[in-house]
Amino acid sequence: MEENSRGISPRRSKRRTVHKIAAANEPNLFDELPDDLVVSVLCKLSSSAASSSDFFNALLTCKRFKRLGFHQLVLSNVGSKVLAVKAKNWSDSVHRFLIHCVNAGNVEACYTLGMIRFYSLQNRGSGMSLMAKAAVKSYAPALYSLAVIQFNGSGGSRTDKDLQAGVALCARAAFLGHVDALRELGHCFQDGYGIRQNITAGRRLLMQANTRELASLLKSLVKQQPNHHHHHRGLNYEQFNCISGSGCSSMSNEPASEGHPVNVFLKEWFELGLGEMGEGLRLCSHKGCGRPETRAHEFRRCSACGTVHYCSRGCQALDWKLRHKLECIPFERWLE
């Protein structure tokens, strides 16, 4: 049998050509899928992806994914993990993507971009408008953030504080189960801050906040347990005491409750020097917050040591439990 210059017999070459033609004529099953089905799959991906890179890498696999990935339904379902962006990676393209999500009605994107514009980009009006858009749809973090702004008069002067509005927003967020709002509202009731003092109601709200926080912490610890049969005993007595604070020598070893990704963004933004803070302005001393002062002496300081400053009573109470309790030295002892 004669062979061509490549050492392939004419019969074999003809057989390969026939197979290629047959493959080319076979229908592409993926192309035959209706757009609605592909959009449904992408909606599930956008809401459950573990990171933005997972979502965008999937869109780059084919032109159809890339086109349908910016469908309004897909963008409206993008979750917080996809919207989570590192401050060092902030760019115009990231900003545009967030705007696309906002225009699609994504509540998470409204809140995220609102916080970034209000605090990082110092576009106060636009930032508050976006957070209000999320708050109208009963998004608890937006309600709580607007309450903090009202309590502090952020973006304005001391006379711009509206304690009653802050309490109302905080109460709505607390009703939706927001832990920080429950804690803040509890302290407002205890102190009579913006509302008639009711110590009993305040204690009840603080107990609800602690219960929700403890339940969240227990859930995260259970997830960390290896899935082996000899680890099914659950938490031991020492772990329970450390979580509850009843027998742990150092509460600083307790993992803090997981904050919103935008708070991490704010903290990185100012710590990396990507945004300028005015002279004498400070970040909230609670490590999981990231909110900056918008004017001098906006935040309250620890009445004992005076070295730390907080945007809210909620942040102060949480930081006291997690860290500051071990570090606070009353001012009088400095003089000894």
Side-chain angles (χ1 to χ4, degrees):
M1 184 181 295
E2 297 182 359
E3 296 184 352
N4 57 22
S5 59
R6 294 185 178 181
I8 303 175
S9 64
R11 183 179 297 176
R12 186 181 301 174
S13 176
K14 183 177 180 181
R15 192 183 304 124
R16 289 186 176 181
T17 303
V18 170
H19 286 317
K20 288 180 179 180
I21 294 174
N25 292 330
E26 289 181 359
N28 189 324
L29 299 180
F30 176 73
D31 289 340
E32 292 184 356
L33 291 175
D35 280 355
D36 290 349
L37 181 58
V38 178
V39 167
S40 177
V41 172
L42 290 175
C43 284
K44 181 65 176 178
L45 173 64
S46 67
S47 63
S48 61
S51 66
S52 57
S53 59
D54 288 349
F55 176 66
F56 287 111
N57 286 338
L59 298 189
L60 294 176
T61 56
C62 68
K63 291 182 179 179
R64 193 180 186 193
F65 271 7
K66 186 176 181 181
R67 174 174 59 85
L68 294 178
F70 282 84
H71 191 280
Q72 293 290 293
L73 283 176
V74 177
L75 294 177
S76 67
N77 282 278
V78 173
S80 59
K81 292 184 178 179
V82 175
L83 294 174
V85 57
K86 296 289 186 181
K88 62 181 179 181
N89 296 331
W90 179 257
S91 63
D92 290 339
S93 59
V94 174
H95 198 169
R96 283 195 299 271
F97 176 71
L98 285 171
I99 292 173
H100 285 312
C101 293
V102 167
N103 293 336
N106 189 307
V107 177
E108 183 76 38
C110 289
Y111 174 63
T112 298
L113 186 55
M115 288 284 284
I116 290 174
R117 283 186 176 176
F118 187 87
Y119 288 109
S120 298
L121 305 182
Q122 298 184 16
N123 189 339
R124 315 292 189 198
S126 175
M128 283 196 68
S129 176
L130 287 170
M131 282 188 273
K133 189 175 181 180
V136 167
K137 296 183 179 180
S138 296
Y139 188 64
L143 287 162
Y144 175 69
S145 290
L146 288 173
V148 172
I149 290 173
Q150 294 297 327
F151 281 136
N152 295 326
S154 300
S157 63
R158 291 177 60 88
T159 58
D160 292 319
K161 292 182 179 183
D162 191 336
L163 304 186
Q164 286 73 30
V167 168
L169 289 164
C170 215
R172 178 58 181 166
F175 175 77
L176 295 171
H178 194 272
V179 175
D180 291 336
L182 281 166
R183 185 177 290 112
E184 184 75 19
L185 189 61
H187 285 289
C188 286
F189 268 111
Q190 282 196 327
D191 301 338
Y193 190 74
I195 196 170
R196 181 178 295 179
Q197 189 176 36
N198 188 330
I199 296 177
T200 302
R203 287 176 177 172
R204 184 172 62 251
L205 288 167
L206 292 175
M207 287 181 63
Q208 290 180 23
N210 291 336
T211 301
R212 286 181 175 272
E213 190 174 49
L214 178 59
S216 176
L217 182 57
L218 286 171
K219 186 178 179 180
S220 66
L221 287 175
V222 169
K223 286 182 178 180
Q224 294 173 10
Q225 295 289 330
N227 238 352
H228 303 301
H229 65 279
H230 57 277
H231 282 104
H232 283 177
R233 297 178 182 177
L235 300 176
N236 57 37
Y237 180 74
E238 182 181 353
Q239 286 175 308
F240 176 79
N241 280 346
C242 194
I243 292 170
S244 62
S246 59
C248 186
S249 60
S250 176
M251 286 296 290
S252 61
N253 292 327
E254 176 186 334
S257 57
E258 185 178 355
H260 195 281
V262 76
N263 293 98
V264 178
F265 178 94
L266 294 179
K267 187 171 183 291
E268 293 177 348
W269 179 270
F270 292 104
E271 288 184 346
L272 294 175
L274 299 175
E276 293 185 4
M277 294 180 63
E279 185 177 355
L281 301 185
R282 298 154 298 206
L283 290 177
C284 178
S285 296
H286 173 40
K287 300 300 183 183
C289 179
R291 289 181 178 85
E293 288 183 320
T294 60
R295 67 174 186 278
H297 309 297
E298 176 181 341
F299 293 166
R300 60 180 51 83
R301 65 178 182 176
C302 175
S303 59
C305 66
T307 60
V308 290
H309 302 78
Y310 301 100
C311 68
S312 64
R313 285 168 170 76
C315 277
Q316 184 173 7
L318 185 56
D319 192 57
W320 173 262
K321 182 174 66 172
L322 295 175
R323 179 184 65 89
H324 190 55
K325 181 179 181 179
L326 304 176
E327 302 173 352
C328 185
I329 301 176
F331 181 76
E332 292 79 9
R333 291 180 56 185
W334 293 6
L335 305 177
E336 295 179 358

